[in-house]
Amino acid sequence: MSNDAVPLHAEQTPSPLRTVPEAAAFLRISVRTTYELIRQYEANPANGGIPSIRIGGTIRIRQADLEALIGVASPPHGAAGLQSSGRRP
């Protein structure tokens, strides 16, 4: 039997999933607003918001979706951007 297990301290690539506080910091919005945008997307993706993934009792947001929201990368198939509220940031 070979020992092919990866050691716990091994360098790994950063996770493509972000927590809600990490997503809020990336977008420079409050955690509360981030949760509101997640709920908005869950209610109706056509209205914009932030797509998310629920893993157990936690919510994660794909880094690619965050980048698409701010125009850093091309949006993934089916992802909606943030809707403008007419207010300045």
Side-chain angles (χ1 to χ4, degrees):
M1 181 170 144
S2 68
N3 189 0
D4 292 330
V6 177
L8 293 176
H9 62 277
E11 291 288 324
Q12 296 182 6
T13 59
S15 171
L17 297 176
R18 301 287 172 242
T19 64
V20 173
E22 289 171 341
F26 179 81
L27 296 172
R28 296 183 181 210
I29 60 176
S30 71
V31 171
R32 182 178 180 169
T33 299
T34 305
Y35 278 113
E36 289 172 3
L37 290 168
I38 289 167
R39 281 191 291 275
Q40 178 181 332
Y41 186 87
E42 289 173 344
N44 185 353
N47 288 337
I50 300 174
S52 64
I53 302 165
R54 293 189 184 266
I55 303 172
T58 64
I59 297 174
R60 296 289 186 264
I61 298 116
R62 290 178 354 123
Q63 180 67 33
D65 289 334
L66 295 173
E67 292 171 356
L69 288 172
I70 62 171
V72 172
S74 60
H77 179 68
L82 291 173
Q83 298 292 320
S84 173
S85 65
R87 293 184 292 168
R88 296 180 73 182

